[in-house]
Amino acid sequence: MNNCEDERVAADGIEQALIRFAAGQDLRDAELLATAFSDDAVLDFTQPAAALGVSADPMIGRTSIVETVFAATAPLITSHTISNVRIVHLEEATAEAHALIEAMHINRMKPNRRL
């Protein structure tokens, strides 16, 4: 494959993982959410958490990620939109992508409170 084809394949794979991550939350489907991650994945939300005044450690491993995300989003209605996925760096089995991801989180018990 040439570099353009490699980038397309990587972008498609990353986009599908992002979609499964988002849909798993929105549909409250732990099995679907788990398919977005490898066994040894690391999910680091420390930067967005800090912007909200919350401290959060990186989540390590598929099981930890699913359990932590499900616990954090249990009181919420979530809706995610993903677009503009593009590869900015590709080297052998590693890719870096940028994407536009919009998330809406509404507290079920306090619907006027949103993120």
Side-chain angles (χ1 to χ4, degrees):
M1 280 191 289
N2 63 32
N3 198 356
C4 289
E5 182 65 11
D6 291 345
E7 286 184 12
R8 186 192 63 73
V9 169
D12 289 348
I14 290 169
E15 183 174 40
Q16 285 302 308
L18 290 171
I19 289 168
R20 291 190 308 270
F21 174 67
Q25 291 175 77
D26 297 346
L27 299 171
R28 300 293 301 157
D29 184 334
E31 289 183 29
L32 178 59
L33 178 63
T35 68
F37 299 98
S38 64
D39 287 334
D40 61 348
V42 176
L43 182 59
D44 187 346
F45 268 91
T46 55
Q47 185 180 24
L52 295 169
V54 177
S55 176
D57 293 326
M59 295 163 258
I60 301 171
R62 177 188 293 138
T63 301
S64 175
I65 292 168
V66 172
E67 289 173 355
T68 303
V69 167
F70 258 58
T73 60
L76 305 175
I77 298 168
T78 65
S79 178
H80 293 81
T81 303
I82 298 161
S83 66
N84 301 1
V85 178
R86 65 184 174 88
I87 299 299
V88 294
H89 180 77
L90 181 62
E91 186 174 326
E92 297 190 22
T94 302
E96 178 183 347
H98 290 181
L100 176 60
I101 302 173
E102 183 178 1
M104 181 175 61
H105 299 142
I106 300 172
N107 187 308
R108 293 175 195 280
M109 302 307 287
K110 300 174 188 173
N112 290 335
R113 190 163 180 212
R114 301 176 181 158
L115 172 62

